[in-house]
Amino acid sequence: MKLVDTAIQRPVSVIVGVMLIALFGLIALYRIPVQLIPDVDRPVVTINTIWPGASPEEIEQEIVQRQEEQLKAVEGLEKMTSESFDSRGQVVLEFSVGLDPDAMLLKVSNKLDQVTGYPLDADKPVLTSGSGGNTSAITWLILEPLPGNEEVDIETYRDFVEDLVKSGLERVPGVAQSNVYGGFERELQVIVDPAAMAAHAVTVDQMAAAITAENSNISGGSFDEGKRRYIVRTVGQYTTPAQIEDVVIRDGPDGRVLVADVARAELGYKRPSVTVRQRGKQAIAINATRETGANVLEVMDGIRAAFTEFNEGPLLREGLILRQVYDETEYINASIDLVRSNIVVGGALATLVLLVFLRSASTVFIIITTIPISIVGTFLVMSLVGRNINVISLAGMAFAVGMVVDNAIVALENIYRHRQMGKDRVRAAFDGATEVWGAMLASTLTTIAIFLPIVFIEDEAGQLFRDIAIAVSSSVALSLVVALTVIPMMSARLMRNRVQSRGAGGGNILDRFGSRVSGAISDSVYHISGSTALRVSVVVVLIGASVISAWTLLPKAEYLPTGNRNLIFSILLPPPGYSLDELIEVGQQIEDVLRPRWEAQPGSPEAAAIEGPLVPHMFYVAFGRSAFMGARAGDPSRVKEIIPIIQQPLFAIPGMIAIVRQSGLFQGIGGGRAIALEISGPDLGRLLSLGG
């Protein structure tokens, strides 16, 4: 075979090739994106429409239904769902996997332009394009007062946080979006006096129209004066509350009516619709999501640098501090370290087994060179095909560690056999490798044929397990190339000059044991081959034993593992009609149960007296008609013990539906362990009774 002969005759070229693979593989390793799980993309377009003051029924009838009538004909649409809230409607469109998200966004925008009959005071619909896969936040930050500054009202800093922190985080390379939860939004309020309005015969609509009409700057053109040109404009936009009070509502025979006559204007805050509590105190929460394909580790480094700069600068001057309460890279690093250790341990065990059975340092060295060359080369392949490093791809490499040495062992063992026949090292290396290259090629192609078809599956499962297919296929393919080039080249130069025969009567105990096993296998095969009935019986017995063993040892079926993330997440669905204040009281009941677990210091007598894990971080967010909360354990291995502790106060609330579970590794993929049941029909009351 020409390839084997060239490798033996030109060892320098082979060494240079190996060095180039190692060089570019290591470069790819440091440049390839790192994240927790692969990107699973399903094009999703979300349409949000704001209509201030409208009820959910009005939102549905006047906005959502009009949009659905046009959007249901969008090409490639698989599912359309809508929700109508107080003052807001949302329509979510899910498209087939593989479609261009930008093209889908354009088609939806064109269809949405055909919707007519919106209410006059409704805002223009806002479109956002995203993925139906894993888009959860990679970090959560909490804004708190510094010790000694507890008297500050943290909820009045929302605008400050949006202007400083939110915009600062979104400038970090790789951050797709940052969201702010909690706090009060500032607004200019006009507080009317109903009695005064009735006395002056002024309506709210008249006053609102007058205020809106005056709040504008009007261009007056330009004129030339001598050698100068002047731009003229009428300045009317409000800068102070007093300017609003001076607005004329009506000027008639019965006198002039000003806003100040029937109302007063002042700077205030919007009525809160969301509240955030961190360890029993009001707080403002900020999160950040990453862009698709961004290196999470690098993005998190930029986020840490950003909020450290805030803490040492403007926030310090305000007596505030940002604390990081969740960091996805902690779990990523732990997962990667675990898989990396598995790769190292697997390689070490493979080396140990080879050393025990081959008992030749040079022989083992020749074989184990296959592992780093194949694995490092796999990083280069994954970078070239646009994949990333995650727990799935690393798991594929861990699988491949034990597989890549197979071809090397087959090639080297046959080369060793030819040396025992008395051939010189060069001739034995050539004859041994060329004799088995066909068998190695068939074995390699069989393995690739098992994994490679996954690459061409476009649905969720294909995207999720594509990295395993690429990692295993490329590793095994590279191991074949190594077995046909590097192994013969090294055997021709490193194998011992004298090769002793492994006879049945000589050698050590392991040699004699191996000879007996080999002889027993040979005799068994000889006797089985001599009888048709015996051959059929052996096949039936082995297949039956395999089926019975597989059926007996089959583990419980699960689409995806839950992982062991240190985060307990709970969704609370209260009875209809719960106010925000009532939801806050629910959160306070949970805080009363968990308070001793975050106040106790690790290692203190108080901590020793508490049964179960400590909870250093806990947050609670209430909004609209529901709430959610999260908690982390001081000991990550005991995080599941928090679940019954949280369930106890929640299940005691009448009518409360509480879902408390450990946050899964594959969040937002595959639906977790949930079963979605959709009941459709024209009568909402009937649907509710059927759902109950």
Side-chain angles (χ1 to χ4, degrees), residues 384-540:
L384 293 176
V385 298
R387 307 306 295 176
N388 51 58
I389 298 297
N390 53 70
V391 294
I392 299 294
S393 59
L394 288 176
M397 294 179 193
F399 298 155
V401 166
M403 302 169 66
V404 296
V405 297
D406 293 345
N407 287 329
I409 293 174
V410 171
L412 188 63
E413 181 64 22
N414 203 47
I415 292 172
Y416 191 93
R417 185 177 67 84
H418 280 270
R419 286 286 289 132
Q420 288 182 317
M421 296 168 59
K423 297 180 181 179
D424 61 83
R425 290 182 298 183
V426 174
R427 190 64 191 175
F430 177 78
D431 292 345
T434 54
E435 192 174 55
V436 295
W437 81 269
M440 292 191 297
L441 177 62
S443 175
T444 302
L445 292 179
T446 301
T447 303
I448 294 176
I450 294 172
F451 287 95
L452 195 60
I454 300 175
V455 175
F456 303 101
I457 300 175
E458 292 190 350
D459 64 6
E460 185 179 88
Q463 295 183 58
L464 191 60
F465 300 112
R466 189 170 295 164
D467 287 339
I468 285 184
I470 295 175
V472 173
S473 300
S474 57
S475 298
V476 174
L478 286 170
S479 72
L480 175 64
V481 177
V482 172
L484 295 177
T485 55
V486 178
I487 300 302
M489 182 273 294
M490 297 182 68
S491 300
R493 281 153 182 81
L494 299 181
M495 186 172 285
R496 291 176 298 180
N497 289 323
R498 297 182 61 187
V499 177
Q500 297 179 352
S501 177
R502 303 171 187 169
N508 54 27
I509 297 176
L510 195 60
D511 278 336
R512 293 194 295 271
F513 175 74
S515 297
R516 290 193 183 97
V517 172
S518 177
I521 293 175
S522 299
D523 293 340
S524 300
V525 172
Y526 178 78
H527 288 298
I528 293 172
S529 301
S531 171
T532 302
L534 191 58
R535 292 199 301 269
V536 173
S537 300
V538 169
V539 171
V540 172

Side-chain angles (χ1 to χ4, degrees), residues 12 32 69 100 115 127 153 196 215 233 256 295 320 345 367 483 537 539 570 574 595 597 630 637 648 689:
V12 175
I32 194 170
E69 189 65 26
D100 184 6
V115 180
L127 282 74
D153 187 357
N215 187 30
R233 66 190 183 102
R256 175 178 296 179
N295 189 323
L320 307 173
V345 171
I367 293 177
S537 300
V539 171
S570 177
R595 190 181 306 278
R597 299 181 183 274
S637 63
Q648 179 182 358
S689 64

Side-chain angles (χ1 to χ4, degrees), residues 108-119:
V108 172
S109 178
N110 292 337
K111 282 290 183 181
L112 204 61
D113 289 340
Q114 300 175 21
V115 180
T116 59
Y118 285 125

Side-chain angles (χ1 to χ4, degrees), residues 257-280:
V257 180
L258 304 179
V259 172
D261 296 329
V262 296
R264 72 178 190 275
E266 61 182 31
L267 288 173
Y269 296 95
K270 287 184 179 180
R271 184 178 180 181
S273 59
V274 179
T275 184
V276 178
R277 297 178 64 85
Q278 161 71 6
R279 298 192 359 169

